[in-house]
Amino acid sequence: MKARATDARRAAVLGSPIAHSLSPVLHRTAYKELGLGDWSYDRFEVDEEALPGFLGELGPEWAGLSLTMPLKRAVIPLLDEITDTAASVEAVNTVVFTQDGRRVGDNTDIPGMVAALRERGIEEVDSAAVLGAGATASSALAALARVCTGEVVAYVRSEARAAEMRQWGERLDVEVRTEDWADAEQALRAPLVIATTPAGTTDALAAAVPGRPSTLFDVLYDPWPTSLAARWSAYGGAVVSGLDLLVHQAVLQVEQMTGRSPAPLDAMRKAGEHALAAR
């Protein structure tokens, strides 16, 4: 699945909306550090309807694509193959074009989450809590399948969402118990809390952070810190940010698309931090 690293190659991030994406900053930084001066990385506003046409027009100079919402599931029927990791959550965020022209889909969000946790010393926990039940929550469960040895409690707003999370748990071989969002304050006492909700959703929970919190993984990165993350840090808890996730999953994308390893994690993170600070 390695792309040629000697010719001028192209890559890009697709999605809708896409103007906010930090992926170009991260990937371009990686190319510079790796000496791939003839590689380029762009962003394109592409929705589900436009995706087949966009893919059909790509030439042999293309090495790969990063995908964000709403394309992570829509792309699957358009690919020749997807990895087991992508299949486990029915979501592809990475497409690599092989030298023989095949389109291979992968999901680097899941190993990216695991890598971000391990960077902070979180190798294994005996239980965890997940706030939310959207697409990111299923990736969180897939990551927890690799680091959590016991029960995961998911706090959700509806029985339909609860049923979805239990189904994902069965599929991913994770012991999932669901609780109502009204009781989400209880989640904050877990050894690991993964917040997968949109901006502002967890703000009301900040006042309930316990005196000695453990580890919070908040998948948001803009605006940052969230109210929950700020209070968590103030109380001495460890915080893993959405930027940590974004950088680690981008590292894996760069390595797959370019065939170069390791990708420059520190330089990519610094570039992301600088870009966020400039907003």
Side-chain angles (χ1 to χ4, degrees):
M1 215 158 48
K2 292 183 178 180
R4 295 169 297 172
T6 54
D7 304 329
R9 306 302 301 278
R10 296 189 66 184
V13 60
L14 315 182
S16 183
I18 201 61
H20 68 288
S21 177
L22 282 180
S23 292
V25 171
L26 302 182
H27 285 252
R28 290 168 185 170
T29 297
Y31 298 165
K32 181 178 180 181
E33 293 291 320
L34 293 170
L36 300 175
D38 51 357
W39 281 60
S40 63
Y41 189 100
D42 301 296
R43 63 165 68 90
F44 294 96
E45 183 84 15
V46 178
D47 60 15
E48 294 165 287
E49 183 178 355
L51 183 60
F54 185 93
L55 289 177
E57 294 176 358
L58 300 183
E61 74 277 12
W62 282 85
L65 298 170
S66 309
L67 301 176
T68 186
M69 298 304 291
L71 305 179
K72 293 184 178 183
R73 291 202 169 119
V75 75
I76 293 176
L78 307 174
L79 302 177
D80 297 300
E81 175 187 348
I82 65 172
T83 64
D84 290 343
T85 301
S88 72
V89 291
E90 297 179 359
V92 165
N93 78 327
T94 307
V95 177
V96 173
F97 301 105
T98 65
Q99 292 187 26
D100 60 1
R102 291 173 56 79
R103 303 169 177 175
V104 180
D106 192 16
N107 186 308
T108 63
D109 285 332
I110 295 165
M113 281 187 175
V114 174
L117 287 168
R118 288 178 174 166
E119 186 179 36
R120 302 303 174 89
I122 308 299
E123 297 280 348
E124 184 177 285
V125 293
D126 57 14
S127 62
V130 174
L131 300 174
T136 305
S138 61
S139 292
L141 286 181
L144 287 170
R146 306 184 186 190
V147 299
C148 183
T149 60
E151 182 182 64
V152 176
V153 184
Y155 291 83
V156 301
R157 293 188 181 276
S158 70
E159 178 52 38
R161 289 291 198 178
E164 288 179 9
M165 288 297 281
R166 291 192 294 267
Q167 289 170 1
W168 279 116
E170 292 177 7
R171 178 169 180 166
L172 296 164
D173 197 24
V174 177
E175 182 184 352
V176 175
R177 174 165 59 89
T178 55
E179 296 288 348
D180 190 270
W181 182 263
D183 299 317
E185 291 182 3
Q186 299 176 13
L188 308 185
R189 299 187 180 277
L192 171 61
V193 181
I194 303 183
T196 69
T197 52
T201 307
T202 62
D203 288 357
L205 298 176
V209 173
R212 291 184 177 181
S214 186
T215 300
L216 171 68
F217 193 155
D218 194 325
V219 303
L220 295 173
Y221 63 84
D222 188 17
W224 185 263
T226 62
S227 296
L228 181 60
R231 179 66 66 93
W232 202 277
S233 293
Y235 279 25
V239 176
V240 185
S241 75
L243 182 60
D244 294 320
L245 167 60
L246 188 67
V247 171
H248 276 283
Q249 66 82 29
V251 160
L252 296 170
Q253 289 184 335
V254 168
E255 290 174 352
Q256 288 191 29
M257 293 179 192
T258 68
R260 299 288 189 90
S261 182
L265 172 68
D266 291 341
M268 293 168 70
R269 193 200 315 272
K270 288 178 183 177
E273 291 171 345
H274 181 76
L276 285 175
R279 289 186 175 180

